[in-house]
Structure formats: C-alpha cells, structure tokens
Amino acid sequence: MSSKRQLLIDTALGLFYHKGIHAVGVNEILATSGIAKKTLYSHFESKNALLMAALEVRHERFMTWLSQTLDNTQTSQQLIEQLFKGLATWFNSEDDTLGPFRGCFFINTSAEFSEVDELITAYCRAHKEAVRDEIARHLPEQNEPLLEAIFVMMEGAIVTAQMTHQGELLCQRSAAMLTRLCNVQNQA
C-alpha cells in the first residue's frame, strides 16, 4: 500500500472516529493529511470508499486487540476477566492499539448510516459478527447462552462507557454479573 493512501486512511479514521463521519468533509481530511485532492481521488472514488477503507483498518486493529486480549485464557472465568480488564483499559484511553476511547467506531458509523442494505451498515454488522465469533473461538466450551451474555454485555458496556464515562466501574460490574452466571451454570 502506498504511503499516501495509508496516510489518507489513517487521517480519515482519526477524524471520523473523533468527530463523526458526516461532520468531517473531504477538505478537512486533505488539509489534515497534507495530500492533494487529485491524489485522494486517485486512491478512492468517494468519501464512502475512504470510509470503507478506514472501517477495514479499524476492524483489523480491533480484531488483533481482541485476539491478543483473549489469548491464553483457559476457562470461561479467565476469558471474562481478561476481556473486561482489556475493555477497561481501552475505556480509560490507555490502550495503544485502539487509541483514545470514543465508543465503538462501528456502532457510531452505523448510527450515521441507517440504510439497512447500505454497504457500510452491512460491513459494521459483519464486524460485530466477527467479534462474536472471536469470543466464541476463545470460549473453552460450547455454551451459547454464556457466549451471548458475554457478547451483549461487552457491547452494552462499550455504549454505556461512551455515554457515562464510567467504563472501569461498568467493566467490574459486567464481569461480576457474568461470573455469577458462570457459577449458576456450573452448579446446574
């Protein structure tokens, strides 16, 4: 990938994530990146094409982060603890891979693109499916109710942390609730 293309993607991703997609125009991306309009359009046919490239980069980063966060978990309890500890670090803007926390880029993007059959919305939905699949891959046993609870609790924590700025407390509470669920299932 050319360095100018990568600079355009990185600049757009940073601006879109910080300000929102519709709030950022092509001219702002060009001014921030220092790249000419002709160069932008030689790499991307439209702002939405640039957004798709930014979504792809963010997806790769997030999936790498998630996989690394869940690596070496041996039990469901360890998975829950590591996942919510990792989320708390991100919510506190202390994670270098994900950068400063501004909510979920995919949730934020899909909120701006409400067309159900829109390519962008479909990509955001596919990202969420990939996240759920990655959690399932690390879950030591086939347990669909627990998988669903972890995934929904994670997604809820991301949205609530963005709104309340109480991410660490949310993560502690989420992990505690999921631990209780694990204990109840183990006793059954």
Side-chain angles (χ1 to χ4, degrees):
M1 179 180 308
S2 81
S3 61
K4 288 184 180 185
R5 177 180 166 79
Q6 189 62 53
L7 178 58
L8 284 165
I9 293 169
D10 291 341
T11 302
L13 176 57
L15 290 170
F16 291 156
Y17 186 52
H18 182 73
K19 295 181 175 185
I21 291 99
H22 295 313
V24 174
V26 169
N27 289 336
E28 184 174 2
I29 295 167
L30 295 172
T32 303
S33 68
I35 293 180
K37 189 177 276 193
K38 183 178 179 181
T39 303
L40 169 83
Y41 287 111
S42 72
H43 291 287
F44 303 100
E45 63 190 36
S46 65
K47 179 181 170 183
N48 280 2
L50 177 57
L51 172 58
M52 283 299 296
L55 285 165
E56 290 168 3
V57 166
R58 184 63 178 191
H59 171 75
E60 290 171 15
R61 285 183 192 158
F62 190 86
M63 296 307 292
T64 297
W65 171 85
L66 182 60
S67 179
Q68 290 173 348
T69 298
L70 300 180
D71 269 355
N72 302 318
T73 54
Q74 303 296 316
T75 67
S76 298
Q77 183 61 42
Q78 286 178 334
L79 182 141
I80 291 165
E81 289 170 4
Q82 284 185 214
L83 175 61
F84 284 93
K85 182 180 177 186
L87 288 170
T89 301
W90 178 36
F91 297 164
N92 289 331
S93 297
E94 297 169 349
D95 186 273
D96 293 336
T97 302
L98 298 179
F101 179 69
R102 302 277 301 162
C104 173
F105 186 53
F106 299 89
I107 292 171
N108 297 347
T109 298
S110 66
E112 290 194 53
F113 290 84
S114 60
E115 303 280 329
V116 174
D117 59 353
E118 176 95 32
L119 180 63
I120 292 166
T121 305
Y123 191 88
C124 293
R125 190 172 43 254
H127 166 77
K128 292 302 179 182
E129 291 168 7
V131 168
R132 187 179 186 282
D133 290 346
E134 186 67 15
I135 294 169
R137 190 173 75 77
H138 285 87
L139 199 60
E141 72 272 353
Q142 277 278 58
N143 186 332
E144 193 65 28
L146 180 59
L147 170 62
E148 196 62 29
I150 292 168
F151 177 70
V152 170
M153 192 77 70
M154 172 187 162
E155 293 299 316
I158 292 169
V159 172
T160 306
Q162 182 180 12
M163 294 172 44
T164 66
H165 305 287
Q166 296 182 358
E168 198 157 338
L169 179 61
L170 283 164
C171 287
Q172 291 168 359
R173 288 179 177 168
S174 297
M177 285 186 268
L178 288 165
T179 295
R180 283 194 292 276
L181 177 62
C182 280
N183 290 338
V184 166
Q185 285 186 340
N186 289 338
Q187 292 172 358

